[in-house]
């Protein structure tokens, strides 16, 4: 994390009231950036955005990514140098219930963001954050590379694949290498694995569901115990996103493409392993059981090949999954004890910054 680069940079973040967006804003504040956030109200109660008082650290605009005129006005008003697009309907199970809203937000939201950027002077770097689920998942044992086919079985995953394709089309049509001297804008996409961390209260997500049961002293019920995911603490991909955004700003079109950010092989674990470790860290009578009821389809096996980020961005994970789970338990217990959660988050950011990269 390059504090010298980010000091005073004008950054526009969509989806800043969400779990991942809130952590990004805390990280950008720590680095000294000037932040504008554009988003709907926080999606959960409580929310990391509210309890860590992020509103006082930035210019917060309440708006819908599906509203192009509103988004355009926000960009013209704030004149950012760097745009990080994180606004999304981000849950697989919700996408089965609200597919139209999912596509409208994740696909047309991306169109609107890129169209607004196209008509805003001063923007130099745009990062569209999608997901590892954007790939056509063939359930194979090796990691997906950035040039593998887009796909997506469910509406959420497919809408994010569409968002990738929209970004590629806009890059080819309006921000290509041949036009770079004219536009001055470099656009990339970032695909990360299952992100976990303190402050996530979303429904139908493994860690929040587990923590809710642990706090209520109830037994955890697992839906898909054998599903394998590339788990990582939220600060891992966020560090990657900022490294990539910096390169887009300083090096331009050479970095305007898709990028994977995921953990090393050792931290690609199944759901039951994650929950068992979380129960051990929580202590007491924490326990889990398996659910027999049939569940909507979710990929059984998924991992990323992050060789490109290793080689060209010098990006590496710093925390093993055990470290990440320990930080989550510490965070939740601090929240339960009424501690200042902004300070807790900044403390974890500093701990992450001082951790050694894996080799």
């Amino acid at each position: 994390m390059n504090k010298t680069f980010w000091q005073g940079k004008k950054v526009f973040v969509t989806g800043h009231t969400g779990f991942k967006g809130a952590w990004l804003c805390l990280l950008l504040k720590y680095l000294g950036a000037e932040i504008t956030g554009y988003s709907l109200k926080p999606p959960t109660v409580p929310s990391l955005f509210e309890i860590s008082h992020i509103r006082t650290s930035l210019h917060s605009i309440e708006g819908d990514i599906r509203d192009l005129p509103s988004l355009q006005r926000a960009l013209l008003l704030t004149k950012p140098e760097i745009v990080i697009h994180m606004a999304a309907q981000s849950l697989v199970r919700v996408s089965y219930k609200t597919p139209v809203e999912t596509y409208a937000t994740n696909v047309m939201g991306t169109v609107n963001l890129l169209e607004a950027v196209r008509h805003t002077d001063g923007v130099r770097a745009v990062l569209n954050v999608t997901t590892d689920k954007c790939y056509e998942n063939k359930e194979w044992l090796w990691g997906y590379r950035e040039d593998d086919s887009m796909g997506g079985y469910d509406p959420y995953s497919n809408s994010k694949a569409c968002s990738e394709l929209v970004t590629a089309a806009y890059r080819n049509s309006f921000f290509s290498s041949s036009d770079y001297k004219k536009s001055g804008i470099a656009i990339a996409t970032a695909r990360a694995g299952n992100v976990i961390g303190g402050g996530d209260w979303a429904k139908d997500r493994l860690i929040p569901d587990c923590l809710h049961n642990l706090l209520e002293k109830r037994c955890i019920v697992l839906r898909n115990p054998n599903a394998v995911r590339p788990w990582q603490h939220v600060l891992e991909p966020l560090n990657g996103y900022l490294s990539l955004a910096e390169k887009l700003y300083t090096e331009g079109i050479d970095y305007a493409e898709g990028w994977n950010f995921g953990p090393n092989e050792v931290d690609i674990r199944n759901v039951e392993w994650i929950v068992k470790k979380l129960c051990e860290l929580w202590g007491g009578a924490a326990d889990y059981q398996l659910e027999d009821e049939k569940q909507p389809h979710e990929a059984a096996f998924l991992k990323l090949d992050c060789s490109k980020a290793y080689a060209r961005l010098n990006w590496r994970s710093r925390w093993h999954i055990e470290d990440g789970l320990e930080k989550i338990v510490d965070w939740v217990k601090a929240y339960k004890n009424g501690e200042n959660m902004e300070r807790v988050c900044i403390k974890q950011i500093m701990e992450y910054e001082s951790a050694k990269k894996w080799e």
Side-chain angles (χ1 to χ4, degrees):
M1 293 183 283
N2 187 345
K3 284 187 177 181
T4 302
F5 172 82
W6 289 100
Q7 187 71 41
K9 284 291 186 299
K10 298 176 71 174
V11 185
F12 190 95
V13 179
T14 71
H16 70 295
T17 60
F19 158 65
K20 206 170 173 184
W23 268 105
L24 177 62
C25 289
L26 287 163
L27 183 53
L28 286 169
K29 175 189 177 182
Y30 172 73
L31 295 172
E34 183 181 328
I35 314 161
T36 296
Y38 181 93
S39 183
L40 297 173
K41 288 183 172 65
T44 61
V45 179
S47 72
L48 178 61
F49 178 77
E50 295 292 354
I51 68 169
S52 58
H53 308 292
I54 294 172
R55 195 185 305 276
T56 63
S57 306
L58 48 71
H59 178 203
S60 183
I61 300 173
E62 185 177 324
D64 194 323
I65 199 70
R66 296 169 293 184
D67 185 345
L68 176 57
S70 172
L71 183 58
Q72 181 73 70
R73 285 193 298 271
L75 281 163
L76 291 173
L77 174 68
T78 57
K79 298 182 177 7
E81 301 165 88
I82 298 170
V83 176
I84 303 178
H85 178 41
M86 302 184 75
Q89 192 301 95
S90 59
L91 300 172
V92 170
R93 291 168 71 87
V94 170
S95 77
Y96 281 109
K97 299 174 184 176
T98 59
V100 174
E101 180 182 346
T102 298
Y103 279 102
T105 301
N106 296 351
V107 182
M108 288 309 301
T110 301
V111 173
N112 290 342
L113 187 279
L114 296 177
E115 187 65 15
V117 164
R118 191 160 75 92
H119 297 288
T120 303
D121 293 334
V123 177
R124 291 182 55 177
V126 180
L127 180 60
N128 177 20
V129 176
T130 62
T131 176
D132 59 351
K133 297 179 180 65
C134 67
Y135 292 107
E136 181 184 355
N137 191 351
K138 299 177 181 179
E139 306 275 354
W140 55 33
L141 298 178
W142 51 89
Y144 291 90
R145 295 183 176 181
E146 287 85 350
D147 56 358
D148 282 325
S149 298
M150 296 291 101
Y153 181 99
D154 56 87
Y156 164 71
S157 304
N158 184 260
S159 70
K160 283 298 194 174
C162 292
S163 179
E164 287 276 352
L165 295 175
V166 165
T167 305
Y170 262 78
R171 184 167 50 228
N172 293 335
S173 301
F174 306 113
F175 309 107
S176 66
S177 56
S178 60
D179 293 330
Y180 181 65
K181 287 186 178 179
K182 178 181 177 182
S183 73
I185 301 174
I187 298 178
T189 57
R191 306 151 189 175
N194 278 35
V195 173
I196 60 177
D200 185 1
W201 279 282
K203 292 182 179 179
D204 294 324
R205 277 171 57 81
L206 178 66
I207 301 299
D209 287 350
C210 289
L211 292 170
H212 181 71
N213 283 299
L214 290 172
L215 286 167
E216 297 294 327
K217 298 182 179 180
R218 294 197 300 257
C219 184
I220 297 167
V221 179
L222 299 190
R223 297 191 300 260
N224 297 298
N226 297 316
V228 176
R229 298 287 184 271
W231 309 94
Q232 58 189 329
H233 191 274
V234 64
L235 291 175
E236 300 281 18
L238 293 185
N239 181 31
Y241 300 166
L242 295 187
S243 297
L244 175 55
E246 181 180 341
K247 286 293 188 182
L248 291 170
Y249 186 98
T250 59
E251 306 294 331
I253 206 71
D254 289 344
Y255 288 82
E257 51 196 42
W259 296 80
N260 288 340
F261 297 97
N264 282 4
E265 190 84 19
V266 68
D267 283 335
I268 299 173
R269 303 282 189 167
N270 69 28
V271 165
E272 187 169 8
W273 186 96
I274 294 292
V275 174
K276 183 177 180 181
K277 180 60 66 173
L278 189 63
C279 289
E280 290 174 2
L281 290 166
W282 189 267
D287 201 2
Y288 67 91
Q289 66 184 35
L290 306 184
E291 185 174 72
D292 295 329
E293 185 178 339
K294 181 177 174 59
Q295 301 297 321
H297 175 275
E298 292 190 46
F301 193 90
L302 179 63
K303 66 178 179 178
L304 299 174
D305 183 325
C306 303
S307 303
K308 186 166 76 169
Y310 298 163
R312 295 181 59 195
L313 296 175
N314 192 30
W315 176 81
R316 297 286 191 283
S317 295
R318 297 171 186 244
W319 285 344
H320 285 289
I321 186 59
E322 292 94 335
D323 301 317
L325 290 170
E326 182 178 351
K327 298 300 180 185
I328 292 170
V329 170
D330 290 345
W331 193 99
V332 173
K333 290 186 175 180
Y335 172 70
K336 184 181 177 183
N337 292 334
E339 296 184 30
N340 182 310
M341 296 315 296
E342 180 182 13
R343 292 178 188 169
V344 171
C345 290
I346 295 299
K347 178 175 179 288
Q348 292 198 346
I349 287 171
M350 294 173 68
E351 290 169 346
Y352 176 81
E353 184 183 34
S354 64
K356 187 177 179 180
K357 291 182 182 179
W358 298 357
E359 296 298 334

